[in-house]
Amino acid sequence: MLAMRFDNDSPAPMFEPDAESMPAERRAVLQAGRLTAAGVSSGADVTLEALADLPTTAKRDLWEAYPFGLLAVPREQVVAVHGSSGTGGRPTLVSYSRGDIALWSKMCARALAAAGAGPGTIVHNAYGYGLFTGGLGIHQGAIELGALVVPVSGGMTARQVTLIADLKPQILTCTPSYAIRLGEALAEAGLTGGGLSLRAGVFGAEPWTQEMRARINDLLGIRALDIYGLSEVIGPGVASECIVAADGLHVNEDHFLVETVDPVTGDPVPDGTPGELTFSTLTKEAMPLLRYRTGDIAALRRGTCACGRTLVKMSKVTGRIDDMLVIRGVNVYPSEVERVLLAELEVAPDYLLVVDERDGGRDLIACCERVTERPAGSGSEGQLRAALEHGLREALGLRVTVAIVAPGAVPRTEVGKAVRVRRWAGGEPPVPGLGERAGEGTP
């Protein structure tokens, strides 16, 4: 039976305390039993070590089996499909049974509970609704938890401001980039962090750094928490941070067995070492996956959290393999640039990386804006640019040109995931005024 735990012995509520605080040894037995029940066999006892000898699956397998080629149940038992963008205009479709929808709802309920939500909590859900799993996942999880969900979806920022002011939600859920946009709009409306009802935010669907977390916390006056998921595994709710520690995401490993592997060789990497997250679904019905390689880079850490959960923790996703840029032979993840830019308090949180491919070259330009209210002792624009370029060179071992553009020039995200990288092969620049500024900075 599902239970919320709010007693004095637990500093953080749990939606399913028996599962979330289960001793690791007991969970390992449960995982092995569920793998066996799912038909997984390695010729020996089914263990994480034995799994490493089995083949992996990847997004290409889903594309080749489009739309229903990987079903493990009759098509008539599929009650929903979700997915993400794919090649040739075809999305990566994932099928869900009734049992899968119920599982997904519980996982999102766990995430909301870890953020401090409970029955009656008002959740302002600004994730997009549709094939994308974000909106509906959180929506179903809030209902499962007994919370009141406001299904506002993405965009229509002025309406969102009105609803937050009038309904006074405690939890905000959306992408981190839209949290910044919403925070700016709330400030423009005279609703500052201290005057808001929001206590915590559950943000995901795109990689974001600790520096971005600090900006969101300051802007909205909340505790910003990460949530992780992908439609191929279940959607949001695969892992989430707790409001107590907020130092890594608890993976719901009683349902999703997680490994990290070397992105190149596919060999397992030890805990604490960044690797490609790889999941085996233990209880999914319609489209179970064995050792699915996500393309996301993170590290794992085991132990008991201050919140009481014993689930393995994953670090924030530091980048995606397919988001990696190769600039003059150097591998660069956008999140690495974000850390340097947002560590400087004079830089606004919206930025865009432009891969300059004009004249057959391949250089990187970081476009950013200055905050309107600058900290005391701020220097000139040229000094700020030089400091950022020096910091990026130190962090990346690569020269990155910084272009400080006019306020509002960097495109804002209203709906969906933030676009952090654009290519410039010629013609009009992707950011107004970039052409005049791209050559400035240190030599």
PDB file of all heavy atoms in Angstrom, residues 9-23:
ATOM      1  N   ASP A   9      10.425  11.466  12.455  1.00  0.00           N
ATOM      2  CA  ASP A   9      11.627  10.660  12.267  1.00  0.00           C
ATOM      3  C   ASP A   9      12.195  10.800  10.858  1.00  0.00           C
ATOM      4  O   ASP A   9      13.279  10.307  10.574  1.00  0.00           O
ATOM      5  CB  ASP A   9      11.321   9.176  12.539  1.00  0.00           C
ATOM      6  CG  ASP A   9      10.943   8.934  13.989  1.00  0.00           C
ATOM      7  OD1 ASP A   9      11.467   9.668  14.861  1.00  0.00           O
ATOM      8  OD2 ASP A   9      10.131   8.022  14.230  1.00  0.00           O
ATOM      9  N   SER A  10      11.467  11.422   9.976  1.00  0.00           N
ATOM     10  CA  SER A  10      11.921  11.554   8.588  1.00  0.00           C
ATOM     11  C   SER A  10      11.998  13.018   8.201  1.00  0.00           C
ATOM     12  O   SER A  10      10.999  13.716   8.212  1.00  0.00           O
ATOM     13  CB  SER A  10      10.964  10.821   7.645  1.00  0.00           C
ATOM     14  OG  SER A  10      11.327  11.047   6.309  1.00  0.00           O
ATOM     15  N   PRO A  11      13.187  13.507   7.840  1.00  0.00           N
ATOM     16  CA  PRO A  11      13.316  14.910   7.469  1.00  0.00           C
ATOM     17  C   PRO A  11      12.759  15.215   6.089  1.00  0.00           C
ATOM     18  O   PRO A  11      12.627  16.361   5.724  1.00  0.00           O
ATOM     19  CB  PRO A  11      14.830  15.139   7.502  1.00  0.00           C
ATOM     20  CG  PRO A  11      15.414  13.797   7.202  1.00  0.00           C
ATOM     21  CD  PRO A  11      14.473  12.807   7.818  1.00  0.00           C
ATOM     22  N   ALA A  12      12.463  14.197   5.284  1.00  0.00           N
ATOM     23  CA  ALA A  12      11.915  14.419   3.945  1.00  0.00           C
ATOM     24  C   ALA A  12      10.829  13.388   3.684  1.00  0.00           C
ATOM     25  O   ALA A  12      10.998  12.215   3.983  1.00  0.00           O
ATOM     26  CB  ALA A  12      13.009  14.286   2.890  1.00  0.00           C
ATOM     27  N   PRO A  13       9.700  13.807   3.153  1.00  0.00           N
ATOM     28  CA  PRO A  13       8.626  12.852   2.891  1.00  0.00           C
ATOM     29  C   PRO A  13       9.017  11.870   1.799  1.00  0.00           C
ATOM     30  O   PRO A  13       9.766  12.188   0.887  1.00  0.00           O
ATOM     31  CB  PRO A  13       7.467  13.747   2.440  1.00  0.00           C
ATOM     32  CG  PRO A  13       8.112  14.988   1.926  1.00  0.00           C
ATOM     33  CD  PRO A  13       9.346  15.177   2.748  1.00  0.00           C
ATOM     34  N   MET A  14       8.487  10.661   1.901  1.00  0.00           N
ATOM     35  CA  MET A  14       8.682   9.651   0.876  1.00  0.00           C
ATOM     36  C   MET A  14       7.325   9.143   0.445  1.00  0.00           C
ATOM     37  O   MET A  14       6.446   8.900   1.278  1.00  0.00           O
ATOM     38  CB  MET A  14       9.531   8.490   1.399  1.00  0.00           C
ATOM     39  CG  MET A  14      10.930   8.857   1.832  1.00  0.00           C
ATOM     40  SD  MET A  14      11.887   7.381   2.282  1.00  0.00           S
ATOM     41  CE  MET A  14      13.247   8.129   3.184  1.00  0.00           C
ATOM     42  N   PHE A  15       7.145   8.967  -0.833  1.00  0.00           N
ATOM     43  CA  PHE A  15       5.891   8.451  -1.353  1.00  0.00           C
ATOM     44  C   PHE A  15       5.780   6.954  -1.100  1.00  0.00           C
ATOM     45  O   PHE A  15       4.707   6.451  -0.767  1.00  0.00           O
ATOM     46  CB  PHE A  15       5.787   8.764  -2.843  1.00  0.00           C
ATOM     47  CG  PHE A  15       4.491   8.308  -3.451  1.00  0.00           C
ATOM     48  CD1 PHE A  15       3.298   8.884  -3.069  1.00  0.00           C
ATOM     49  CD2 PHE A  15       4.479   7.313  -4.407  1.00  0.00           C
ATOM     50  CE1 PHE A  15       2.097   8.462  -3.627  1.00  0.00           C
ATOM     51  CE2 PHE A  15       3.285   6.891  -4.977  1.00  0.00           C
ATOM     52  CZ  PHE A  15       2.084   7.468  -4.590  1.00  0.00           C
ATOM     53  N   GLU A  16       6.877   6.229  -1.282  1.00  0.00           N
ATOM     54  CA  GLU A  16       6.922   4.788  -1.033  1.00  0.00           C
ATOM     55  C   GLU A  16       8.123   4.485  -0.134  1.00  0.00           C
ATOM     56  O   GLU A  16       9.165   4.037  -0.613  1.00  0.00           O
ATOM     57  CB  GLU A  16       7.003   4.019  -2.350  1.00  0.00           C
ATOM     58  CG  GLU A  16       5.769   4.219  -3.232  1.00  0.00           C
ATOM     59  CD  GLU A  16       5.849   3.445  -4.545  1.00  0.00           C
ATOM     60  OE1 GLU A  16       6.730   3.748  -5.364  1.00  0.00           O
ATOM     61  OE2 GLU A  16       5.036   2.543  -4.738  1.00  0.00           O
ATOM     62  N   PRO A  17       8.013   4.761   1.162  1.00  0.00           N
ATOM     63  CA  PRO A  17       9.172   4.683   2.052  1.00  0.00           C
ATOM     64  C   PRO A  17       9.829   3.309   2.095  1.00  0.00           C
ATOM     65  O   PRO A  17      11.055   3.223   2.183  1.00  0.00           O
ATOM     66  CB  PRO A  17       8.600   5.078   3.415  1.00  0.00           C
ATOM     67  CG  PRO A  17       7.120   4.941   3.288  1.00  0.00           C
ATOM     68  CD  PRO A  17       6.791   5.209   1.872  1.00  0.00           C
ATOM     69  N   ASP A  18       9.038   2.235   2.032  1.00  0.00           N
ATOM     70  CA  ASP A  18       9.642   0.904   2.089  1.00  0.00           C
ATOM     71  C   ASP A  18      10.590   0.671   0.920  1.00  0.00           C
ATOM     72  O   ASP A  18      11.653   0.058   1.076  1.00  0.00           O
ATOM     73  CB  ASP A  18       8.552  -0.175   2.103  1.00  0.00           C
ATOM     74  CG  ASP A  18       7.768  -0.197   3.402  1.00  0.00           C
ATOM     75  OD1 ASP A  18       8.262   0.377   4.399  1.00  0.00           O
ATOM     76  OD2 ASP A  18       6.659  -0.772   3.422  1.00  0.00           O
ATOM     77  N   ALA A  19      10.215   1.160  -0.263  1.00  0.00           N
ATOM     78  CA  ALA A  19      11.059   0.969  -1.449  1.00  0.00           C
ATOM     79  C   ALA A  19      12.211   1.956  -1.481  1.00  0.00           C
ATOM     80  O   ALA A  19      13.344   1.599  -1.823  1.00  0.00           O
ATOM     81  CB  ALA A  19      10.211   1.110  -2.710  1.00  0.00           C
ATOM     82  N   GLU A  20      11.954   3.205  -1.107  1.00  0.00           N
ATOM     83  CA  GLU A  20      12.969   4.248  -1.248  1.00  0.00           C
ATOM     84  C   GLU A  20      14.060   4.155  -0.184  1.00  0.00           C
ATOM     85  O   GLU A  20      15.166   4.654  -0.402  1.00  0.00           O
ATOM     86  CB  GLU A  20      12.297   5.624  -1.218  1.00  0.00           C
ATOM     87  CG  GLU A  20      11.360   5.850  -2.405  1.00  0.00           C
ATOM     88  CD  GLU A  20      10.601   7.157  -2.318  1.00  0.00           C
ATOM     89  OE1 GLU A  20      11.240   8.214  -2.481  1.00  0.00           O
ATOM     90  OE2 GLU A  20       9.377   7.119  -2.071  1.00  0.00           O
ATOM     91  N   SER A  21      13.758   3.547   0.957  1.00  0.00           N
ATOM     92  CA  SER A  21      14.758   3.407   2.025  1.00  0.00           C
ATOM     93  C   SER A  21      15.147   1.953   2.265  1.00  0.00           C
ATOM     94  O   SER A  21      15.718   1.615   3.300  1.00  0.00           O
ATOM     95  CB  SER A  21      14.224   4.025   3.324  1.00  0.00           C
ATOM     96  OG  SER A  21      13.034   3.364   3.739  1.00  0.00           O
ATOM     97  N   MET A  22      14.864   1.103   1.308  1.00  0.00           N
ATOM     98  CA  MET A  22      15.185  -0.333   1.416  1.00  0.00           C
ATOM     99  C   MET A  22      16.693  -0.541   1.525  1.00  0.00           C
ATOM    100  O   MET A  22      17.469   0.102   0.805  1.00  0.00           O
ATOM    101  CB  MET A  22      14.655  -1.062   0.178  1.00  0.00           C
ATOM    102  CG  MET A  22      14.873  -2.569   0.177  1.00  0.00           C
ATOM    103  SD  MET A  22      14.279  -3.340  -1.365  1.00  0.00           S
ATOM    104  CE  MET A  22      12.510  -3.056  -1.218  1.00  0.00           C
ATOM    105  N   PRO A  23      17.173  -1.424   2.417  1.00  0.00           N
ATOM    106  CA  PRO A  23      18.608  -1.727   2.481  1.00  0.00           C
ATOM    107  C   PRO A  23      19.126  -2.188   1.124  1.00  0.00           C
ATOM    108  O   PRO A  23      18.435  -2.906   0.386  1.00  0.00           O
ATOM    109  CB  PRO A  23      18.687  -2.843   3.534  1.00  0.00           C
ATOM    110  CG  PRO A  23      17.473  -2.651   4.385  1.00  0.00           C
ATOM    111  CD  PRO A  23      16.400  -2.154   3.460  1.00  0.00           C
TER     112      PRO A  23
END
